[in-house]
Amino acid sequence: MSKLINVGLIGFGMAGSVFHAPFITNVQGLRLSKIRETRPENIAVANKRYPEATIVDNVKAIFEDAAIDLVVLATPNSSHLSLAKEALQAGKHVVVEKPFTVTSAEADELIVLAESKGKLLTVFQNRRWDSDFKTILKIISENLLGEVVEYEAHFDRFRNFLKPNTWKEEDAPGSGLLYDLGSHLIDQALCLFGLPSEVSADLRTQREDSQIVDNFHLMLYYPNLRVILRAGMLVREQGPRYKIYGDRGSFLKYGLDVQEAALKEGQSPKGNAHWGVEPEKIWGKLNTDFEGLHIIGKVESETGDYTAFYQNVYSAILGDEELEVKPDQARDTIKVIELAIQSHKEKRTVTFS
């Protein structure tokens, strides 16, 4: 029988209800024990979907519960430092919603605290388990393109108005598209290529009355590689999500991993044999020379499943697996964001250090 790990989820807005709870409850051995939420509409959803979980209106009810082993923070970015500190000091393992923290110094503070307490600390970089990224990881690791010389990734949307009643549209520490979607793109790039030597960025506010960065063009420089990461809120007709060029071939990919749309429609990964399977119409196109053959055609996408993140967290707590998303990796993502902000302000390319 699997060892039971009780989970306390703080926050049941979109992050908690859509991206965390469905995958926590899809791992045998994790039990969603308590949910901290105060909005009546969110409480109603939590009670309906997870009747076995106790709803509480304050974080102390989770931090002071000796039965809670793991705390998941699905809260606004500016609260990550204080809540994670409190959870670690209470002797809990901690999962923090991305982005990890507002600054890399805050991330370092949490890393040191977690080590001193002997507790697991990780960040929900779930896009490592997107179908398209898993496919790209495989293509690059198997050297199908030869030496990669240019990698471009987009996370574009179209919303030409300000979404009401959300902290994500407010001018606050850690807000804006660079932190929100940029943390995904940066994490993926660092997974593929490691730390860059230099960073440059152009950050813009394009929507009327917007208070946040809602468009960015970020470039990471490596000795023989250029990485371009872009996201915007005014992209109605979208181009390729990924463009990867190597000295033997290219890979282009349109469309977004299907999990987010399915989750927002109320679907669940639990018991769903077709979860995370991309339709053929958005499979990527490969054009390359490989082992004497010129290959042109579609590449069937790997199956995406964010459950793997929580399965790894569970196994890492038990000591059975190495942690996939290490806190220092998540800290490096924040460091890149800081350097991007510096680059934009100073209108120059800055050295990663």
Side-chain angles (χ1 to χ4, degrees):
M1 184 175 178
S2 301
K3 174 179 169 58
L4 197 61
I5 292 177
N6 290 309
V7 181
L9 174 59
I10 299 179
F12 201 75
M14 189 182 83
S17 65
V18 173
F19 288 104
H20 289 276
F23 300 102
I24 294 169
T25 55
N26 199 31
V27 175
Q28 185 177 3
L30 292 182
R31 180 171 69 183
L32 186 54
S33 179
K34 284 187 175 179
I35 300 172
R36 186 270 181 188
E37 183 53 62
T38 57
R39 293 186 178 183
E41 63 274 21
N42 293 348
I43 291 172
V45 173
N47 280 326
K48 181 179 180 181
R49 293 182 185 173
Y50 308 105
E52 69 283 359
T54 302
I55 311 300
V56 298
D57 63 3
N58 65 90
V59 295
K60 296 290 186 184
I62 290 177
F63 294 150
E64 295 177 0
D65 186 343
I68 297 291
D69 307 290
L70 171 65
V71 170
V72 176
L73 303 178
T75 60
N77 302 346
S78 59
S79 69
H80 291 178
L81 173 66
S82 60
L83 290 175
K85 281 177 65 175
E86 197 169 352
L88 289 167
Q89 288 166 346
K92 313 299 185 187
H93 302 290
V94 179
V95 171
V96 183
E97 172 60 53
K98 64 81 209 163
F100 188 7
T101 48
V102 175
T103 69
S104 58
E106 292 177 351
D108 283 329
E109 183 179 351
L110 291 179
I111 291 169
V112 170
L113 179 58
E115 289 174 349
S116 71
K117 296 292 184 180
K119 294 299 175 182
L120 176 145
L121 172 66
T122 187
V123 179
F124 190 60
Q125 293 289 172
N126 60 304
R127 297 287 176 177
R128 294 190 190 186
W129 289 273
D130 274 355
S131 55
D132 45 21
F133 183 68
K134 288 177 67 179
T135 306
I136 288 165
L137 192 61
K138 197 167 185 178
I139 287 171
I140 291 177
S141 66
E142 295 187 5
N143 202 32
L144 291 179
L145 303 178
E147 182 180 358
V148 176
V149 296
E150 184 162 300
Y151 169 95
E152 182 170 343
H154 288 242
F155 209 144
D156 294 321
R157 293 175 171 171
F158 184 75
R159 190 170 70 230
N160 59 0
F161 58 91
L162 305 185
K163 192 174 181 179
N165 303 317
T166 174
W167 58 268
K168 289 189 176 184
E169 295 281 17
E170 297 174 358
D171 182 14
S175 67
L177 215 58
L178 183 61
Y179 277 94
D180 185 22
L181 301 183
S183 59
H184 287 310
L185 296 178
I186 294 166
D187 178 73
Q188 290 181 343
L190 299 190
C191 282
L192 290 170
F193 307 115
L195 299 176
S197 57
E198 296 175 306
V199 176
S200 68
D202 180 71
L203 313 178
R204 294 180 182 265
T205 300
Q206 295 183 331
R207 293 173 301 162
E208 187 176 359
D209 297 325
S210 178
Q211 301 178 44
I212 63 168
V213 169
D214 56 18
N215 179 284
F216 67 81
H217 183 127
L218 173 62
M219 296 180 70
L220 310 181
Y221 298 97
Y222 298 80
N224 299 305
L225 166 70
R226 178 174 60 187
V227 169
I228 303 165
L229 307 176
R230 301 189 65 174
M233 297 297 290
L234 296 180
V235 186
R236 195 163 202 163
E237 188 67 33
Q238 297 189 10
R241 178 155 160 74
Y242 293 97
K243 294 190 288 186
I244 309 171
Y245 304 126
D247 61 6
R248 288 212 308 266
S250 303
F251 180 75
L252 267 65
K253 174 71 171 65
Y254 288 80
L256 184 65
D257 176 275
V258 298
Q259 293 180 84
E260 180 175 348
L263 291 162
K264 288 179 176 178
E265 291 171 359
Q267 297 181 42
S268 170
K270 198 163 192 174
N272 188 338
H274 300 288
W275 184 261
V277 176
E278 282 196 346
E280 183 177 351
K281 65 181 180 181
I282 60 169
W283 291 353
K285 182 179 180 181
L286 180 69
N287 185 342
T288 193
D289 291 320
F290 186 71
E291 296 185 353
L293 296 173
H294 183 198
I295 301 169
I296 302 176
K298 292 180 179 179
V299 177
E300 181 175 356
S301 296
E302 297 289 300
T303 300
D305 191 353
Y306 304 149
T307 304
F309 172 86
Y310 274 107
Q311 183 63 62
N312 173 252
V313 167
Y314 174 76
S315 297
I317 289 173
L318 297 187
D320 295 335
E321 286 183 13
E322 185 178 350
L323 188 64
E324 288 279 352
V325 184
K326 298 174 177 62
D328 58 305
Q329 295 173 336
R331 182 270 322 280
D332 290 339
T333 291
I334 302 302
K335 181 64 175 176
V336 171
I337 290 174
E338 290 176 323
L339 293 175
I341 294 170
Q342 178 187 350
S343 168
H344 175 77
K345 287 181 177 178
E346 298 178 1
K347 299 189 183 307
R348 68 180 182 93
T349 298
V350 295
T351 301
F352 186 96
S353 60

